[in-house]
Amino acid sequence: MTTVSSLNDLAPRIDALLARYEELAHAHSLLQAQHAAALQERDSLRLRLQAARARIDALIEQLPANQDKP
C-alpha cells in the first residue's frame, strides 16, 4: 500500500512538472523568435549605417581641398 500511495502522491507533482516544462518550452520558443528578430533588425541597421557612411564619405570626397591662405 505504501508504494501505491507514494505513486499517487507523485502523480500530481509529475503533472505539474510536465505543465511547467510545456510553459518553459513555449517561452523558449518565443524568446528564440524575439532573438532572431533582434538579430535581423541589428543586421538591417548595420547595413543602413554602412550605406550612410558611404554616402558621407562620398560627400566628403566632393568637398574642395582645404587650402591654407597666408
Side-chain angles (χ1 to χ4, degrees):
M1 282 284 197
T2 305
T3 304
V4 173
S5 68
S6 295
L7 290 177
N8 288 338
D9 291 341
L10 280 178
R13 293 175 67 193
I14 291 172
D15 290 338
L17 183 61
L18 288 173
R20 183 67 178 144
Y21 170 78
E22 289 174 358
E23 290 171 8
L24 290 173
H26 180 68
H28 181 68
S29 295
L30 292 175
L31 287 172
Q32 283 181 318
Q34 289 176 354
H35 181 254
L39 290 177
Q40 184 176 3
E41 182 180 6
R42 180 204 64 192
D43 293 343
S44 174
L45 290 171
R46 281 184 176 169
L47 288 174
R48 289 178 56 197
L49 178 60
Q50 288 175 349
R53 283 184 176 156
R55 289 192 306 270
I56 289 171
D57 289 342
L59 288 172
I60 290 172
E61 290 293 322
Q62 293 176 6
L63 291 174
N66 190 9
Q67 298 175 358
D68 292 330
K69 294 185 181 180

